[in-house]
Amino acid sequence: MAFKRPKIALIGGGQIGGVLAQLSALRELGDVALFDIVEDMPQGKTLDIAEASRVDGFDVELKGTNTYEGIKGADIIIVTAGLPRKPGMSRDDLLTTNANIIKSVAEGIKEYAPDSYVIVISNPLDAMVTLMQKYTGFPANRVMGQAGVLDSSRFSSFIAWELGVSVKDVNAMVLGGHGDTMVPLVRYANVNGCPVMEQLVKKYGDEAKAKEVMDAMVERTKKAGGEVVGLLKTGSAFYSPASSAIAMAESIIKDQKRVLPTCAYLEGQYGVDGYYVGVPVVLGANGVERIIEVDLDEEEQKAMDVSVNAVKNLVADMGKLGF
Ligand code: APR
């Protein structure tokens, strides 16, 4: 039997999709199929990236496609298809539009890549992952969402900038849903094992001031997506969401078993049963291989419960809309 490169299908060739294609090539993760409903655009983007292969030194094939046939046999799929909110559009209008898109994407994936692993980025994230699993009918370990890796990277960056240390030494995690109710885990945040709060108290010589600084970083993390939107004026963050999903895909393709915060299906863990919520998981050759449970104190569990309720409401809203 001949060896075969992994095949990565990217559904949605917009801002994030384009960066995903380039990062997949730069890291030689596998051959890339970029799908979009806009004619010629994914073909143009992949041709552009492929023409840099000599300069960047990668040996993978990149193809653009407007039909699901083009994703045939994909091993791993990253989904960014969807529409952003337009002026005058209600939240329910957006939910209905994107839910219909995800439903059609799920049907395409089910038919042409029935053995694939699927990472969803499209918003509202927790709802779209739920639908992807429902309409593909794939086992939950093969369907997950990207949010926590990015939220945690943002939180870690703010901590590194505040303490003047390498971000490589910062470990900070964000759990819960992908929205205002996300839960940055302050108590567990550390710089190579040294608790961040302790370092802040040492820096400011004052517990109240240290808490104030941490609270500001937590707030900035929760609103980080909006901060970027406000600066870009059109569109939302795309470099960092792409990098985050690539880290997840790489851990699965290379069976790295990295522990990454992932929107995963919970069956009793963290007191949640039957919902997709952001928690640390082991990502390896079998997708979501294990959910890691960390002990939460009363305040953290309360914040998690609020976040989980927001996810439940979103899923209930989708049910009312017929999904
Ligand atoms: N099938 C495939 N692609 C679709 C479909 C569909 N049914 N409907 C729309 N698309 C494509 C659009 O043509 C567009 O190229 O999805 C792409 C989305 O790209 P952008 O609008 O540039 O959005 P992007 O910034 O990439 O974000 C995508 O990720 O973070 C989330 O909130 C963000 O939901 C959004 C998604």
Side-chain angles (χ1 to χ4, degrees):
M1 189 199 74
F3 287 101
K4 189 175 134 300
R5 282 196 288 262
K7 178 167 175 175
I8 304 154
L10 309 170
I11 314 288
Q15 296 272 70
I16 300 179
V19 182
L20 285 170
Q22 188 179 29
L23 289 176
S24 301
L26 289 174
R27 295 188 185 207
E28 292 191 305
L29 289 185
D31 292 336
V32 174
L34 184 67
F35 173 100
D36 205 287
I37 47 167
V38 179
E39 259 180 51
D40 292 340
M41 182 269 278
Q43 290 83 347
K45 282 198 181 182
T46 46
L47 179 62
D48 187 18
I49 295 167
E51 286 173 352
S53 60
R54 174 64 185 92
V55 190
D56 287 320
F58 54 78
D59 288 304
V60 294
E61 199 175 270
L62 294 121
K63 279 193 184 149
T65 178
N66 302 117
T67 64
Y68 278 100
E69 184 87 41
I71 72 158
K72 199 170 178 181
D75 301 291
I76 192 153
I77 299 184
I78 307 178
V79 179
T80 60
L83 293 187
R85 189 140 140 187
K86 297 208 181 85
M89 211 177 181
S90 74
R91 194 176 147 276
D92 278 358
D93 290 342
L94 181 76
L95 201 57
T96 306
T97 306
N98 281 349
N100 274 318
I101 291 175
I102 291 298
K103 189 175 171 202
S104 71
V105 171
E107 284 160 1
I109 291 174
K110 190 177 175 183
E111 184 170 353
Y112 289 98
D115 299 321
S116 60
Y117 291 79
V118 185
I119 301 171
V120 179
I121 306 184
S122 308
N123 274 319
L125 195 261
D126 309 284
M128 295 304 119
V129 185
T130 305
L131 285 189
M132 180 60 72
Q133 196 277 326
K134 178 173 174 184
Y135 290 113
T136 52
F138 287 1
N141 66 303
R142 289 208 271 127
V143 181
M144 67 210 83
Q146 188 297 119
V149 175
L150 171 56
D151 296 330
S152 303
S153 179
R154 285 169 165 161
F155 189 32
S156 301
S157 303
F158 302 149
I159 291 170
W161 299 337
E162 166 61 32
L163 291 176
V165 299
S166 166
V167 74
K168 289 180 196 155
D169 291 325
V170 178
N171 292 300
M173 212 163 43
V174 178
L175 307 188
H178 186 48
D180 297 346
T181 60
M182 66 177 77
V183 187
L185 282 189
V186 171
R187 200 163 53 94
Y188 286 104
N190 69 81
V191 181
N192 237 345
C194 314
V196 169
M197 276 315 288
E198 213 174 281
Q199 296 305 307
L200 285 174
V201 173
K202 285 195 202 312
K203 177 174 172 182
Y204 291 102
D206 176 354
E207 270 188 37
K209 174 69 186 165
K211 186 171 176 310
E212 195 184 298
V213 171
M214 176 51 91
D215 286 349
M217 291 194 288
V218 165
E219 273 317 294
R220 190 174 178 195
T221 301
K222 291 183 182 179
K223 303 205 162 81
E227 187 181 353
V228 175
V229 169
L231 292 166
L232 291 179
K233 310 290 190 280
T234 55
S236 48
F238 54 103
Y239 294 112
S240 56
S243 293
S244 303
I246 288 292
M248 295 170 70
E250 187 167 23
S251 190
I252 294 172
I253 292 169
K254 298 184 178 171
D255 194 22
Q256 290 172 330
K257 305 207 189 296
R258 292 196 61 194
V259 176
L260 297 173
T262 297
C263 182
Y265 190 73
L266 300 186
E267 291 168 295
Q269 300 93 339
Y270 293 92
V272 181
D273 199 10
Y275 286 91
Y276 270 94
V277 177
V279 292
V281 311
V282 176
L283 284 186
N286 289 308
V288 177
E289 297 192 342
R290 190 153 51 89
I291 310 267
I292 300 217
E293 287 195 84
V294 287
D295 291 333
L296 301 182
D297 66 19
E298 208 177 310
E299 201 184 323
E300 291 156 352
Q301 186 64 52
K302 226 163 88 190
M304 187 72 165
D305 292 344
V306 169
S307 197
V308 170
N309 276 334
V311 175
K312 285 183 180 172
N313 287 337
L314 196 59
V315 172
D317 286 352
M318 281 194 322
K320 283 183 212 142
L321 293 167
F323 294 96

